[in-house]
Every structure is written in C-alpha cells, then in structure tokens.
Amino acid sequence: MLRPLPSHLMTYARAGWIVGLVAALAVGFGAWHTWGKSHPAEPGPDAAREAVAEAPKPAAKGPHDRVVRISAEQQKLIGVEVQPVKLEPETILVRVPGRIAPDENRFAFITPRAPGIVRSVAVRIGQDVKAGEVLATIESASVGQARLDLLMNLQSLDVALAQARWQETILKNTLELVVRLRAEDTPEEINAKFADKPVGTNRERLMTAYTAHRLAKANLARKNDLYDQEIIRGQLMEESKARFDADLAAYQTLLDQMGYESNLANVRAQQALRQAETSVLVSREKLQVLGVDPDDDDYIPKTLKQQNITAEVPASRSKIPGEKSAVTDVAEAMSVGTKAAAPSDPKPLPAEPASLYKLKAPFAGTILDRELVVPGVAVDVTHRIFTLANLDQVWVEANINPGNLPYIQDDENVSISFMSDAYPEKQFKARLLYTGDLVVEKTQTVTLLARAENPDRFLKPGMYIDVALSVRSQEQVPSVPSDALLSDDERWIAFVRTGPESFELREVKTRGPGEERTAVFSGLRPGEDVVTRGAFKLKAEWIRMASTES
C-alpha cells in the first residue's frame, strides 16, 4: 500500500519538473537557431517578386550612348568615308524569282495541215533554219485534188478572160458602127474607118441592111422624080413609099436589136468571167487551208499564177437608138481591158506528183523538238512533228506582289535586270511588256512579262533566274548610298558624322537597300554626312562600348 508524500515534498517535485521543461526548450531553440544559420530557407514566390520589384533598374540609354568617338588617325586606319544625304527621286528595288520562257510570238508547233504519208525529213533537233526552208515533204490525196482543181479553174479563167475581152471589143465597135450608120456615112467611109476594128458577125448584118436601106431610099427618090414629072401614077408612088417605110422600120429595128444583142453578149461574158474568178478564189483558199501557198507552188505554171484580173468592167445597158452621147459613154466604159491576152506556149507539169507538198518554216529559228517520224509514216493534223522557236529574244516571267503594281506603271520608269546561277558574273537586261491583270489564286501574285535580247543564246527556256525591278518615282525623298545602311536584327541603321571625331548611330526607315542608292523616310536629313565605308567597324566599336558599360 502506497502512502502519499508529504506536502512540502510535493511542492519541491513540481518545481523541478518545470525547471527541466524550461531547460529542454532552451536547448531545442538553440539547436534550431544553429541549423537555420547553416541551412537558410528558400524564399517563396511572393518574396522573389518583392525582391525583383525592389531591385534597382538600369538607366535607359540616351543619345550620347549612340555616339562612337574615334580619332582621325583611327578613322584613317579603318578607311572611314562619308557622303552627304541627297534629295532626289526615289528608286524602289523589288527582287523576285523568275524564269525564262520562249517568246510566244516566235514559237510554233509545226503540224501537217493535211493527212498523208511522210516522204522525207530534212532537219534535225538543234538545227537552225531560215524562214521558208523546207522541213519535210508529205504526200496527201487532199492536196493533190485541190491542186488539180485550181489548175483547171485557172485554165477556165484564162478562156473566160479572153472571151470577155472579145465581147467588150465587139460591143464597143458595134455601138460606134451604129452611130456612123445613123449619121448616114457612105459605105466607103465606113469600111475605111472600121477596116481594123473587129465587129464580128454584126458587120455583115448591119452593112447589108444599111446598103439595102440606101438602095430603097434611092429608089424612092427616083420615083418621086417620075411622079413629079407625071410619068407614074399616084397609086404606084404610094405603094413605093409604103414599101420604103416598112424597110426603114425593119432597118431601125435591126439597129436597136444589134445594140441589145451585143450588150447582152457582153454581160454574159462578164458574168462568166466573174464565175471563173470565184472558182479560182475558192480553189486557192482550199489549197491554202491545206498548207500550200498557191503563189509559191512550183506545180502551178507561172503563166497561170500571174493571170490577174484588175479591170472592173461595168455591164452596159441598152440605149435608145439615136442618142449619140449615151452611146459614146457606153463605148468609153466598154473600152476598159480590151487588150488581147498575149499567147503563151504550154509548159509541161512538174515531174513530182500533185499530191506532194512541203512543210516549211514560218520564221527563222531553231528546231527544239522533233517527233519520231521517218519516210513512210502516216501523219495527220494532230501530229506535232516539229517545235520551232526563235531564241534571239526570250520572255522573262516573274511573279510580283500586287502591292508593287502601283510603282510599275510603264516601261520608261522601270529598269529590269536579272541573273542566273549558270552565269553568276553576268547580268542581263530586259524590257517590260506586261504587268498582268489576273492574280494567281494559289500564290496571290501577278505575273510580269518582260523581253530580253539573247544574241549569244545564253538564256534557255525553263531556266530559273533572280529578277530585280528598279522603279524610279517622281517624288523627291532623302537618299543615301546603299552601302551606308546596315542590318541590325529587324531594323536598318546608319552612322552620321556629328563632329570631327564623333559618329552617331541612327535608326532609319526604308523599303530596303537599292542597287546603288536607297530612299530614307526617317532618321536622316538632307545635307547630313553619312558613313558609306567603315560602317561595319563603327558598329563593332559601338557594340564593344555598350558591352563594356554594361
């Protein structure tokens, strides 16, 4: 059985426990404080932000920080050169990729115009040909039939022309003879005047009727004398006069009829001539459609090819007998083209068949391609036998941004040059042809066309090139040599001389450096001296100074 401690002993026990607890806490705090010094705690996010906010900020660089100072001796060593900023028209430089294409005005696919069989091939790939040079010969039944039709129609035209000229001559002389008959010239005078003038069968009919009329008139005059002398009775006189009047009416009717018949025969001859001309024109067109030039065809005799009808003869109309002026006008109108055709000896046709025709080069150029054709191969109008191109001039095709179109207005203010990787040291020139009116949907660009001279054949169709368009505007803006501009990340800078030994770095705004000079829209003023040589070394010095200060 346990007994409780006395009260004074219990008091001592409580006091000892409290003292031990305090001592233990003191020892633990000392240990924590010692570990905290050797292992400092990491600051939290809020503490880090407060520390950054309270950190001192670097001072912004002022204009004096963009100034590079070097002595005159150092400038001489690095070769510093300056030029003044000038006020002049802006020259805009646009660089775009492009390609060489053949001049479409001097590019052709040579195809047969009529189906047939190849007889010979005269050229090869890469061969230079002249305009009109024979490339191949082909035998075609269509060409042969067209040639023969033209030959027959030309001969018919020759006959129709001779007949028309003859009828014109007959009409003219017949009308003139009628005038002389109405004037009652003597037969001797008429025969003498028309001895060398052809009248045809009209001469016999008219002169026979005229002599009969003169005889009847003389008989009537004698009977009048006998009647006046009362030798014959009045009844006989009246009968004689009636017969004379009937003969006179028949004679005048004959005169009218001869004029009408001659005019009608002439009109028919002219119509036949027009029909013959039309037949010849149709035959010529058929032959030309088949690719054969009738004027340069050896198969057609020259005497027929040179037969040209140049006189337009108006058709005459019948005149009332007795109208001398009207008859004379018709005679003058009918006098056009009355010269007889000169006779020509017939010439034999060429030994070559009429079906053989020649494929000729339409212009001078080079054979770029040739289909595999040999004699005996059948070809038709769908066969592209040759590809011909004149490469003395070529086209330059370039795709430009539509935003550059306002600067490219005409050929006078645009200078086009281009280079090729095949000739890295050679620069070519071109002349603007067309700026395009359609935007390519996939690339959102406009096709530009230019023409370039190619006398040495350096430029080949399909070759890729780098095109530079230099556009000169009329607006006056500050400009500097392109060597004065330096690229600094996404900006352009230049160094301006501000004193004998000081140069200030300026940020400038421009469209980009041109070939020789560049327009500047801000950062430089006209008259200031800008560094054109040694700018890279000044930039390096400026970067060194900036890094040293930092």
Side-chain angles (χ1 to χ4, degrees):
M1 179 176 180
L2 297 175
R3 291 184 297 176
L5 292 174
S7 58
H8 64 275
L9 293 177
M10 290 291 297
T11 302
Y12 291 144
R14 290 191 188 99
W17 179 83
I18 291 173
V19 171
L21 179 61
V22 171
L25 289 175
V27 172
F29 177 79
W32 174 81
H33 183 70
T34 303
W35 181 88
K37 287 184 177 181
S38 60
H39 298 81
E42 296 183 358
D46 295 337
R49 282 195 293 268
E50 292 177 359
V52 171
E54 294 176 358
K57 298 181 180 179
K61 293 184 179 180
H64 60 279
D65 297 324
R66 295 174 178 240
V67 177
V68 178
R69 292 179 174 81
I70 57 176
S71 64
E73 184 178 354
Q74 290 177 326
Q75 296 179 30
K76 186 176 181 180
L77 289 175
I78 65 177
V80 174
E81 294 181 2
V82 297
Q83 290 188 19
V85 180
K86 296 181 180 179
L87 195 64
E88 58 186 4
E90 178 187 6
T91 299
I92 304 171
L93 182 64
V94 180
R95 295 185 180 275
V96 292
R99 62 184 293 269
I100 299 297
D103 187 344
E104 294 182 1
N105 297 324
R106 302 183 179 188
F107 184 87
F109 296 121
I110 309 300
T111 59
R113 305 290 291 275
I117 306 298
V118 177
R119 183 171 180 179
S120 65
V121 180
V123 295
R124 56 172 175 77
I125 295 178
Q127 181 175 339
D128 292 334
V129 297
K130 299 179 181 178
E133 185 172 342
V134 177
L135 306 179
T137 57
I138 301 175
E139 292 185 5
S140 172
S142 302
V143 173
Q145 186 61 48
R147 268 202 183 110
L148 295 177
D149 290 343
L150 176 59
L151 185 61
M152 296 299 296
N153 289 329
L154 284 172
Q155 293 175 347
S156 299
L157 175 62
D158 196 12
V159 175
L161 175 61
Q163 185 66 23
R165 286 174 173 173
W166 171 255
Q167 290 298 333
E168 290 174 23
T169 304
I170 295 299
L171 175 61
K172 175 185 176 182
N173 293 337
T174 298
L175 295 178
E176 187 177 353
L177 178 58
V178 169
V179 172
R180 301 323 309 162
L181 294 177
R182 293 186 185 279
E184 296 186 352
D185 293 349
T186 63
E188 292 77 10
E189 294 175 347
I190 293 176
N191 290 331
K193 187 172 184 179
F194 288 87
D196 298 330
K197 295 182 178 181
V199 188
T201 59
N202 296 341
R203 183 194 300 272
E204 179 184 359
R205 296 175 62 185
L206 288 174
M207 292 304 297
T208 300
Y210 182 56
T211 55
H213 169 67
R214 286 174 59 85
L215 180 59
K217 189 176 182 180
N219 290 335
L220 181 61
R222 284 195 298 272
K223 289 183 179 182
N224 277 332
D225 292 341
L226 294 175
Y227 177 75
D228 292 340
Q229 297 174 11
E230 296 181 354
I231 297 177
I232 60 175
R233 293 176 297 177
Q235 181 180 0
L236 183 59
M237 180 62 193
E238 292 177 358
E239 291 176 355
S240 299
K241 188 175 181 181
R243 285 194 297 271
F244 174 77
D245 291 339
D247 292 340
L248 178 60
Y251 171 67
Q252 292 178 344
T253 300
L254 178 63
L255 293 180
D256 296 341
Q257 185 68 23
M258 293 303 298
Y260 169 76
E261 291 178 357
S262 299
N263 189 21
L264 180 60
N266 180 66
V267 171
R268 288 175 176 172
Q270 299 304 321
Q271 289 179 346
L273 178 60
R274 299 286 89 79
Q275 291 177 356
E277 289 177 343
T278 302
S279 298
V280 170
L281 291 177
V282 171
S283 299
R284 285 173 57 88
E285 288 298 323
K286 288 183 178 179
L287 203 56
Q288 286 181 337
V289 168
L290 296 175
V292 180
D293 185 4
D295 296 328
D296 191 28
D297 191 2
D298 297 334
Y299 192 83
I300 306 299
K302 293 182 179 180
T303 54
L304 293 179
K305 287 192 294 185
Q306 294 173 354
Q307 189 67 269
N308 296 322
I309 308 300
T310 57
E312 294 291 339
V313 182
S316 61
R317 57 185 178 90
S318 59
K319 299 295 179 179
I320 300 176
E323 293 183 347
K324 182 176 180 181
S325 60
V327 172
T328 304
D329 294 340
V330 172
E332 293 177 354
M334 294 299 103
S335 64
V336 180
T338 57
K339 184 179 179 180
S344 58
D345 297 332
K347 296 183 179 180
L349 295 176
E352 295 180 351
S355 60
L356 185 68
Y357 75 98
K358 303 172 183 177
L359 277 180
K360 297 183 179 180
F363 51 82
T366 304
I367 302 297
L368 300 184
D369 191 16
R370 168 188 161 180
E371 191 173 322
L372 184 59
V373 291
V374 294
V377 174
V379 294
D380 55 29
V381 295
T382 62
H383 281 79
R384 185 186 301 174
I385 299 181
F386 302 104
T387 300
L388 177 66
N390 188 319
L391 300 179
D392 291 339
Q393 290 182 342
V394 293
W395 281 0
V396 175
E397 296 180 355
N399 296 326
I400 62 174
N401 192 308
N404 294 324
L405 289 178
Y407 308 111
I408 307 174
Q409 299 294 336
D410 50 46
D411 182 58
E412 296 181 358
N413 297 326
V414 179
S415 175
I416 302 177
S417 61
F418 60 94
M419 298 182 68
S420 170
D421 292 339
Y423 312 102
E425 298 181 355
K426 188 173 182 60
Q427 188 178 56
F428 302 91
K429 298 291 184 180
R431 190 168 184 177
L432 180 65
L433 289 179
Y434 175 60
T435 55
D437 294 316
L438 295 177
V439 176
V440 181
E441 184 175 356
K442 292 182 178 180
T443 61
Q444 286 298 301
T445 58
V446 177
T447 302
L448 176 143
L449 287 181
R451 178 184 288 119
E453 299 293 334
N454 189 28
D456 298 324
R457 305 290 182 88
F458 289 147
L459 304 175
K460 312 295 183 182
M463 181 182 290
Y464 287 100
I465 55 175
D466 295 324
V467 183
L469 289 83
S470 180
V471 185
R472 188 177 180 86
S473 68
Q474 301 301 324
E475 183 180 359
Q476 299 281 337
V477 295
S479 71
V480 297
S482 299
D483 295 337
L485 299 181
L486 301 177
S487 175
D488 185 37
D489 292 335
E490 296 182 355
R491 63 175 183 170
W492 293 97
I493 61 174
F495 284 91
V496 178
R497 182 192 288 275
T498 57
E501 297 183 352
S502 61
F503 299 89
E504 180 183 351
L505 183 147
R506 300 270 186 91
E507 182 178 350
V508 299
K509 291 185 178 180
T510 179
R511 304 183 195 275
E515 290 185 352
E516 297 181 357
R517 300 189 66 84
T518 302
V520 176
F521 302 104
S522 66
L524 299 176
R525 293 184 298 274
E528 291 183 321
D529 290 333
V530 63
V531 177
T532 59
R533 185 177 179 184
F536 281 104
K537 295 182 179 180
L538 290 179
K539 179 182 177 182
E541 179 65 17
W542 175 76
I543 294 175
R544 186 190 66 78
M545 293 172 55
S547 62
T548 301
E549 293 178 0
S550 63

